[in-house]
Amino acid sequence: MSIERRCYLKYDFWYEGVHHKGCVVLDEDSPGVQMMYDDHDIEVTWIKRIRHKGKHIELNIVINDDAYDPNEGMVVASAWVCVYSLKDNIIDQFEPDHWSYIDEYDDSRNVCKETLYTA
């Protein structure tokens, strides 16, 4: 029996008195998760949409996806939260209180808010 390896984004933040905490499997088949490439296909932005009091929150993180870069699979930009109105206008944006990226393929790629800025 083989164990399927995955990449995760764990998050924890408060917005308008509501605690949002969870773990997102970064996979296109995960419910509510979307993957977007940049114009050059060297970075992937993973986006998780969360409902919130008649608005929606998008939690995202950017991962290096350049096969020719030794930093492939590493976090390029911190996890970030954008809050949108029902008309898709940005209301607020901020970094979550806590987040961590877990890569079960390669532990050396694991990073969290506290360690990303010290690397």
Side-chain angles (χ1 to χ4, degrees):
M1 177 170 71
S2 67
I3 297 173
E4 186 176 351
R5 294 182 183 183
R6 297 180 176 185
C7 296
Y8 301 90
L9 175 62
K10 292 184 178 182
Y11 62 92
D12 187 348
F13 64 91
W14 287 83
Y15 187 73
E16 293 183 330
V18 177
H19 189 205
H20 295 275
K21 182 177 182 176
C23 181
V24 179
V25 176
L26 301 179
D27 185 286
E28 290 180 285
D29 295 330
S30 295
V33 175
Q34 181 180 12
M35 179 182 74
M36 295 175 33
Y37 279 103
D38 69 348
D39 291 340
H40 305 289
D41 291 341
I42 59 172
E43 293 177 354
V44 173
T45 301
W46 290 97
I47 301 170
K48 168 69 176 173
R49 184 174 269 201
I50 304 165
R51 292 183 191 175
H52 175 85
K53 294 184 175 182
K55 306 170 191 129
H56 67 270
I57 293 174
E58 288 186 355
L59 172 68
N60 64 72
I61 192 163
V62 182
I63 309 297
N64 181 328
D65 194 46
D66 183 354
Y68 299 105
D69 186 336
N71 294 317
E72 179 186 20
M74 306 276 295
V75 172
V76 176
S78 171
W80 199 252
V81 175
C82 292
V83 182
Y84 293 89
S85 69
L86 291 178
K87 296 183 180 191
D88 285 334
N89 296 320
I90 293 180
I91 298 171
D92 201 357
Q93 51 185 326
F94 54 92
E95 187 174 11
D97 298 326
H98 302 284
W99 64 265
S100 56
Y101 173 75
I102 296 97
D103 184 335
E104 292 182 340
Y105 299 99
D106 184 345
D107 290 345
S108 72
R109 297 176 184 164
N110 295 351
V111 67
C112 65
K113 180 177 180 175
E114 292 75 19
T115 60
L116 179 68
Y117 301 110
T118 60

